[in-house]
Every structure is written in C-alpha cells, then in structure tokens.
Amino acid sequence: MDSNLATPLASQAYQHACRQAGQSPDTFWLSEAGRVAWIRQPTTGVSKDADGGDRWFADGQLNTAWLALDAQIEAGRGEQVALIYDSPVTATIQRFTYAELTAQVAETAGALAGLGVGKGDRVVLYMPMVPEAVIGMLACARLGAIHSVVFGGFAARELAIRIDDARPRVILSASCGIEVDRVIPYKPLLDAALDQASHRPDATLILQRPQARAELQPGRDHDWHARVAAAAPAAPVPVQATDPLYILYTSGTTGKPKGVVRDNGGHAVAMHYSMEVVYGMKPGEVFWAASDVGWVVGHSYIVYAPLIYGCTTVLYEGKPVRTPDAGAFWRVIEEHKVNALFTAPTAFRAVRKEDPDGALLGRYDISSLKRLFLAGERLDPPTYQWLKDLTGLPVLDHWWQTETGWAIACNPVGIETMVEKPGSATAPTPGFQVHILDLNGQACAPNEQGAVCIQRPLPPGCLAGIWGDAGRCHQSYFASYDGYYLSGDGGYIDDDGYLFIMGRTDDVINVAGHRLSTGEMEEIVASHPQVAECAVFGIDDQLKGQLPLGLVVLKDGCKQAPEEITRELVAMVREQVGAVACFRRAVIVKRLPKTRSGKILRRVLRQIANGEEYAVPSTIDDPGILSEIGERLTLY
Ligand code: COA
Ligand code: AMP
C-alpha cells in the first residue's frame, strides 16, 4: 500500500464528512443544496411522503434543465462547449456550446409542448446515442414532463411493457441505431411495440437519420426536425423538488421491470455533490461517461451531472473495440482532452483482449486524463491491475445502482484520495450509511459477508419510489430490514473499512454491465409449448462478467428435436428481450435439482456450471441429479 495515502478508517477528512452527513443529514444536505440554483431555495431537509418514503427538499422549487443549461450561461459558460458528440460509426464529431444546446432544448421543448406535453406528462425515448437523445431528455425536464428512456438494445416487447407502465403522451425515437457497421432500424421495433401495447400515445416524434429512413404513419408520427423548426422556444416550467424528473426501468426479480422514479431537487444536489467528491472534477473540465443514455450511468453522468456542474460532456456513439479498433477510447481521450473517463470493466476487458500490451495506447497522448472510473459490475483485480500498469493513473472502482442514481461507495477523491485496494469499491460515500447485515438483521463482523444495506434516510438523489407501485417499492427495498434499504448485493467490509461488493443475492445478473433479470428470461423460456420447466441463471464469463444459461426440462412425449427447441428458445429470448440479453445457451436436462419443498437449487446449479466445488444441500430431494447435470454441461 502507498503509505502517503489514507485508508477509510484512518482518513480524518473523510470520516469527518461521513459523521456530518450521518449525524446531521438535514444540515449537511441543505448546505449542499445552497450550491445549486433554485427558483425557491428549500428550507426542509428530509421529510416523509404519503407512502412513508423519505423525500428531500419538499419546499424547494427549481427546473433541472434550467439549472443544467440557462444557469450555466448566466454563470458565463455560454460559449463553453457543453456537449461533444463523437460518433465513429457515422464519422461525425459535433460540438454544442451551452448557448447552442440551450437554444435547441428550448425549441425541442416547444415542439413537445405543441404536441400537448406538459408538466407531469410522461415521454418515452427510444433513441440511439445521438445529441437529440440528450436534447429530448432536457426538453422534457424543461417542461416539467417526466422522461423515460428505454435502452435501444431492448426488443419491442420490452418497449411495450414500459409504454404500458409509463403511459406516455409522446414517444421520441429515431429511424435507426448503428451497431458498429450494422444499421438497426428502430421504427419497425417501435411500431411493433405500439401494436403490442394497450396504451396509445398521442404522437411520436421521429428523428430521420440518413442511414435509414423511417415510414411515418400520418396523424401519429411526426418528423423531428420539421416539428422543431416550426416550434417556438418554450420557457422552463418551475417544479417542486419532489416532482419526478424521470422514470428509468430496471430489472428486478420478476418479469415486470421496476420503474425507478427520480425526483428533481434531490437529484440535482446529488449530481452536483458527486462531481466534486466522487469524481474530483472542476467546472470547465471534460467528463466522459462511455455508457448509453438508456442506462442510469448515461442519465447521471452523460447528461445531468456534468451539465449541472458546468463541465463538458462527451456523447460517444461507438464501442471500445471495432470502431475501428481497441484504441478507440484512447483516441477520444486525446481528441477531446478528456479529464475523467467512466466506463464498465467489461469495456476494458474487451480492449485488453484485443490489445493486451496496450500497443494502441502508445499512438495517443492521454496526458489530459487524471483518473479512470469503473462501475456497473465488479472491477475484477486482473482488469484493475492491467489498467493500472498500462496507464499509471488512479483506477477507481465505485459501486452504485439504478435505484441510487449515484455512487454508494467510492474513493472520495474530492475529499481525500485513499489507497486503492483491488476488488474493493473503497468506502461508503458520505451520506450513505452502509451496514452489512446477517439474515437476522444483526451487524456482521469485519470480513464477514452479508446483505449490503443502507440505513435510512438515503441521501438525496436516490429512488423516490417505483412508478405507480408504492407497495412494490416497500416490499422490494424496505421490508426486509426495518430502517434499512436492501441493496440486493452481498458483500463485506474489511478491517480497514474497505467495502467489497461480491455480487447479487437475487435473480438479477449483470451481462457486459447490463442489468438483466433471469426471472424474466425464465418466463419466456417457460412459455415454449414443449417446455415443462426451466431455470435460467448467470454463469461466469471472462469478457462479459456473466452470461445467462438455461436448463430446460421438456414435456413428456415431446417429439420435437432437442436442437430445434434450443434454437427456438435462444431466438425467443433475443426476439422478446433483445440481443443484449446474450442468451445463447439452453441445455436440455431430465430433471432440475430441487429442495423437498420444490425450490430449484439455483446456487448449486451456478456452482456446477462454473466448475466450482459445491456442497450437496441436505434439503435436496434427489442428490444423483447433480452429477447428471454436471455431465450434461460438460458436453456443451
Ligand atoms: N441497439 C441495438 N443493439 C444493441 C445495442 C443497441 N443500443 N447495444 C447492444 N446491442 C446488441 C449488439 O449489437 C449485440 O448484438 P449481436 O448479438 O447481434 O452481436 C448484442 O446486443 C450484445 O451486445 P453487447 O453485450 O454490447 O456485446 P458486443 O459484443 O457488441 O460488445 C462490449 C461487447 C464489451 C464491447 C460492450 O458490451 C460494451 O461496450 N460494454 C460496455 C457496457 C456499458 O456501457 N454498460 C453500461 C453501464 S456503465
Ligand atoms: P444497475 O442498476 O444497472 O446500475 O446495476 C446495479 C448492480 O450492478 C449492482 O446492484 C451491483 O450488483 C452491480 N454493480 C454496479 N457497480 C458495481 C461495482 N463497482 N462493484 C460490484 N458490483 C457493481
């Protein structure tokens, strides 16, 4: 360890911030709230909503888009570049100053208002990584409308589920996305989703890209550019701090995704605070989150936080590899003088696979880069070490979730940089009181693994509910341990105060940094007419972290060829969830291992599939089945 740097327990400045935020949360966060521009400054810290949830700054009033744009112009950043669009797949680089972005957002908000969108209305976005996606989100925020972005890699059925839950007045989409060199038409997917959904939006606004033209349905579909060109700019609409800014659907343990609701005020304060404390940024610097606007990382760190903090943000429509090669990230850093890069470990595992010695890095000057941030899945020590050796930079793992919207644990470089421990996300961010609890709700000893929980109240910016389902919110997150938020991750804290997140304790898996529900895939596989029962679970994968694997029991007397059935199952999941699910393996077995009470033993299945040692559970109804499955899996 570097003796000049502190550890969490030994760091005085960090411990002081944690104590202040933990012991006097109202004082601490009202003081942070004073650092962003409000229409009406809040005087209330945390209070309870009608469902018993913790809500921040209830009497505050603001407009998030105004804060992210107009307020920056007022602070003298009008001519500073706000957004850099870098698209190797279309050979485009485009820069928008704060003044230009503000004007485009105001005009797009005008076009939305012209389609009847107002405060509290929902707008679904199904967009590739183009500036209009960012502009569309901010335009909703300007009107006080609630956006819900659906990741472009999801299939029509997923989009339909979200449309029916959010019930949008308008949908924003584009004619196509581009995956490396493949043009993916989006409009047929949107049309199919609208056919499947029972909710009917009033209108859609479609961005026509030159790579593919979309058929527009008269009366329902409108051309984006034409409507925006004809619109008058709309003024920002004041909203309460507790009003929703967006809904972002994320995978839970069932087939129905959870619509995580984010508020305006707490979110703005958390975004601002995190840019300083978690990322150590200064206004005017260049921040690049190499993610997608369809994920929470994109919401928080491509769009909102960098702009609210006065930085320049990079929107990258490309991959870490193949666009055109594994030097892509280094090229973007050099070209835009990026000061901090944030991506998922899987992206660097892909780079490392193609350029293990970093030969491509040698072609670029990345001296602007101060730190590398990784999240979305566990940063495995080999990838950490490779990045460290290659760049010599701080390589900082941090842990968070769609629900929290920002880092629960990080190396708080804006307060005090701590010595890095591979495999650990370092320490709870001030404001997050993290506890490791055992099954009885008792605190675990240092190094003892348990459920990672956060003591209430959660700090500003965290989930303000599940859209339209307060009961599910309580049940999923707050019912297991009284007074705590259940993260769904398992982990431990070591003797120095370092937090290690070891993986999900539920049916959520993480494939290439994408959060997916095995329960949902199971529902799809089980719907095949020849399938009697099935289990889908995550197995380790060197590149993507995890991949789903399905074990399938066929109905008695099934005459269809097994290979044909497995092909159909793979196609069904791709068709219904999307290519991102990466469900490529289904294995037919005679039976599934179960407890005597009929529960499938998924943990043992995972261990067998990963080739790990496993203990035969005493509750199993038929132990012989395990070796049978092991043999079956080795054949694949
Ligand atoms: N629209 C349409 N299809 C998409 C898509 C999108 N936005 N994103 C991914 N897909 C498709 C891919 O084309 C691929 O299709 P295929 O099976 O026909 O080849 C499939 O979904 C799987 O995609 P992905 O898991 O991304 O695999 P990949 O091989 O294309 O790329 C990585 C692998 C590691 C380079 C890539 O996953 C990556 O960059 N990951 C970073 C993850 C990330 O940003 N996570 C966000 C949290 S920080
Ligand atoms: P998402 O909601 O898509 O951001 O996924 C959140 C989940 O990803 C968490 O619950 C973790 O399981 C996992 N995750 C995110 N960041 C990390 C990290 N730094 N270390 C370990 N797991 C992580």
Side-chain angles (χ1 to χ4, degrees), residues 7-329:
T7 61
L9 286 184
S11 157
Q12 299 208 350
Y14 162 72
Q15 289 294 343
H16 178 70
C18 288
R19 264 195 311 278
Q20 281 193 318
Q23 291 169 3
S24 317
D26 285 352
T27 313
F28 184 87
W29 289 111
L30 280 168
S31 151
E32 283 303 320
R35 301 176 65 202
V36 302
W38 298 80
I39 295 168
R40 194 173 66 221
Q41 181 97 16
T43 58
T44 311
V46 71
S47 57
K48 292 273 182 226
D49 65 15
D51 301 312
D54 301 316
R55 307 303 303 275
W56 283 93
F57 313 127
D59 61 345
Q61 221 178 52
L62 75 166
N63 180 281
T64 297
W66 182 85
L67 180 62
L69 297 168
D70 312 58
Q72 304 301 329
I73 299 176
E74 285 186 12
R77 303 194 178 282
E79 296 315 307
Q80 180 192 312
V81 174
L83 174 72
I84 302 170
Y85 167 54
D86 184 309
S87 169
V89 296
T90 59
T92 310
I93 291 177
Q94 212 179 337
R95 293 181 174 79
F96 301 77
T97 64
Y98 271 97
E100 289 163 345
L101 193 61
T102 306
Q104 295 215 16
V105 167
E107 282 160 16
T108 307
L112 285 174
L115 292 169
V117 174
K119 186 169 163 179
D121 285 334
R122 274 81 58 212
V123 174
V124 161
L125 285 86
Y126 185 61
M127 301 279 295
M129 288 283 285
V130 291
E132 286 79 0
V134 177
I135 291 167
M137 290 164 76
L138 289 162
C140 293
R142 196 170 182 87
L143 296 175
I146 304 165
H147 62 70
S148 185
V149 184
V150 180
F151 175 57
F154 278 130
R157 175 179 166 277
E158 293 289 329
L159 180 56
I161 292 172
R162 287 154 174 81
I163 290 172
D164 274 340
D165 197 70
R167 307 182 65 78
R169 188 176 281 276
V170 169
I171 298 181
L172 304 182
S173 191
S175 56
C176 66
I178 300 155
E179 279 290 295
V180 186
D181 50 5
R182 272 184 305 152
V183 173
I184 315 258
Y186 273 30
K187 187 61 178 10
L189 296 169
L190 174 59
D191 288 341
L194 286 170
D195 284 345
Q196 290 173 35
S198 40
H199 173 76
R200 295 269 157 274
D202 293 350
T204 78
L205 206 50
I206 307 292
L207 177 76
Q208 294 283 16
R209 303 187 78 187
Q211 294 77 11
R213 303 289 296 177
E215 287 277 329
L216 300 187
Q217 186 179 307
R220 187 194 72 182
D221 302 335
H222 304 269
D223 179 85
W224 185 302
H225 285 310
R227 289 298 292 212
V228 171
V237 174
V239 298
Q240 286 304 122
T242 48
D243 282 340
L245 170 67
Y246 68 77
I247 306 166
L248 180 57
Y249 288 87
T250 190
S251 300
T253 49
T254 68
K256 189 169 188 280
K258 295 189 272 203
V260 170
V261 177
R262 189 90 55 220
D263 66 11
N264 275 274
H267 172 253
V269 174
M271 292 298 96
H272 189 274
Y273 179 75
S274 68
M275 286 302 279
E276 182 174 282
V277 166
V278 179
Y279 301 104
M281 295 295 289
K282 296 196 170 42
E285 290 186 328
V286 181
F287 193 82
W288 178 24
S291 177
D292 190 287
V293 288
W295 304 113
V296 67
V297 176
H299 281 62
S300 294
Y301 295 107
I302 296 176
V303 184
Y304 287 109
L307 299 179
I308 286 172
Y309 196 66
C311 283
T312 299
T313 185
V314 180
L315 179 78
Y316 175 67
E317 189 182 27
K319 299 258 175 185
V321 292
R322 295 181 285 141
T323 55
D325 57 30
F329 275 15

Side-chain angles (χ1 to χ4, degrees), residues 51 58-59 147 193 221 235 260 396 399 493 502 518 559 607:
D51 301 312
D59 61 345
H147 62 70
D221 302 335
V260 170
L396 305 173
W399 167 60
I493 297 180
M502 303 309 290
T518 53
K559 299 272 185 307
Q607 289 170 319

Side-chain angles (χ1 to χ4, degrees), residues 187-511:
K187 187 61 178 10
L189 296 169
L190 174 59
D191 288 341
L194 286 170
D195 284 345
Q196 290 173 35
S198 40
H199 173 76
R200 295 269 157 274
D202 293 350
T204 78
L205 206 50
I206 307 292
L207 177 76
Q208 294 283 16
R209 303 187 78 187
Q211 294 77 11
R213 303 289 296 177
E215 287 277 329
L216 300 187
Q217 186 179 307
R220 187 194 72 182
D221 302 335
H222 304 269
D223 179 85
W224 185 302
H225 285 310
R227 289 298 292 212
V228 171
V237 174
V239 298
Q240 286 304 122
T242 48
D243 282 340
L245 170 67
Y246 68 77
I247 306 166
L248 180 57
Y249 288 87
T250 190
S251 300
T253 49
T254 68
K256 189 169 188 280
K258 295 189 272 203
V260 170
V261 177
R262 189 90 55 220
D263 66 11
N264 275 274
H267 172 253
V269 174
M271 292 298 96
H272 189 274
Y273 179 75
S274 68
M275 286 302 279
E276 182 174 282
V277 166
V278 179
Y279 301 104
M281 295 295 289
K282 296 196 170 42
E285 290 186 328
V286 181
F287 193 82
W288 178 24
S291 177
D292 190 287
V293 288
W295 304 113
V296 67
V297 176
H299 281 62
S300 294
Y301 295 107
I302 296 176
V303 184
Y304 287 109
L307 299 179
I308 286 172
Y309 196 66
C311 283
T312 299
T313 185
V314 180
L315 179 78
Y316 175 67
E317 189 182 27
K319 299 258 175 185
V321 292
R322 295 181 285 141
T323 55
D325 57 30
F329 275 15
W330 314 129
R331 193 270 301 159
V332 174
I333 293 166
E334 177 187 277
E335 189 145 359
H336 307 304
K337 308 232 172 337
V338 171
N339 300 115
L341 166 63
F342 172 2
T343 192
T346 190
F348 275 117
R349 286 198 297 271
V351 173
R352 180 185 177 200
K353 188 159 167 260
E354 294 201 6
D355 185 21
D357 302 323
L360 292 167
L361 173 59
R363 293 193 198 157
Y364 300 97
D365 172 7
I366 63 157
S367 56
S368 60
L369 194 66
K370 293 197 275 192
R371 298 180 184 99
L372 279 163
F373 294 93
L374 285 303
E377 54 170 336
R378 183 162 181 264
L379 173 57
D380 51 293
T383 305
Y384 165 84
Q385 204 54 55
W386 179 77
L387 272 171
K388 196 83 198 150
D389 294 345
L390 198 66
T391 63
L393 290 167
V395 177
L396 305 173
D397 186 6
H398 58 320
W399 167 60
W400 52 300
Q401 314 180 306
T402 304
E403 288 85 345
T404 63
W406 63 294
I408 310 163
C410 68
N411 194 325
V413 292
I415 299 175
E416 188 170 358
T417 303
M418 293 181 195
V419 60
E420 293 161 27
K421 236 188 219 193
S424 167
T426 310
T429 310
F432 286 97
Q433 301 184 68
V434 174
H435 298 263
I436 312 291
L437 303 181
D438 68 16
L439 287 175
N440 303 315
Q442 300 301 310
C444 292
N447 302 310
E448 191 189 335
Q449 203 160 315
V452 187
C453 299
I454 309 167
Q455 195 179 317
R456 292 175 74 174
L458 298 175
C462 297
L463 87 163
I466 298 294
W467 182 252
D469 203 342
R472 189 173 181 201
C473 181
H474 177 76
Q475 205 48 41
S476 305
Y477 303 109
F478 299 106
S480 303
Y481 296 101
D482 195 25
Y484 293 89
Y485 164 86
L486 178 74
S487 72
D489 281 307
Y492 65 93
I493 297 180
D494 76 3
D495 295 317
D496 296 319
Y498 282 85
L499 175 64
F500 289 76
I501 299 297
M502 303 309 290
R504 298 288 304 192
T505 54
D506 54 17
D507 295 335
V508 168
I509 59 169
N510 201 311
V511 180

